[in-house]
Amino acid sequence: MSDEISSEQQRLVIEKLERSSDSLTSTKKFNEKYASNIGHMGERAMIITDFARKMKATEFSSYDVERFTKEVTGKNIDLESL
């Protein structure tokens, strides 16, 4: 699976995970918490499986990450298989 997720799509997924209505503020908050472990998100496009691996290292449920990624990108990811 070599599909990419754009920086905008990453920010939208993070916005939904943070239960927010502002993707920039949500992404900033997310990066303050996780950037030291997984790197900055929402700044450049990346392969969707790389995005999934990084999101797996966060406190968010696999179900929510998979659901919101599908909602935003239209692409299925399976965190349990990574």
Side-chain angles (χ1 to χ4, degrees), residues 3 17 29 60 62:
D3 294 326
L17 289 168
K29 178 181 167 187
F60 298 105
S62 294

Side-chain angles (χ1 to χ4, degrees), residues 14-70:
I14 291 168
E15 173 186 327
K16 290 176 179 296
L17 289 168
E18 294 280 351
R19 310 227 185 281
S20 171
S21 61
D22 178 4
S23 64
L24 295 176
T25 302
S26 297
T27 303
K28 182 178 186 231
K29 178 181 167 187
F30 178 91
N31 282 332
E32 286 172 358
K33 186 170 186 175
Y34 295 108
S36 62
N37 292 333
I38 63 173
H40 282 61
M41 304 292 272
E43 294 182 352
R44 61 175 178 77
M46 67 176 61
I47 296 173
I48 201 162
T49 52
D50 292 343
F51 173 78
R53 281 186 188 97
K54 290 181 178 204
M55 294 306 288
K56 192 174 180 177
T58 68
E59 68 184 22
F60 298 105
S61 76
S62 294
Y63 173 78
D64 284 342
V65 172
E66 291 171 1
R67 178 171 60 116
F68 293 140
T69 301
K70 169 75 173 170

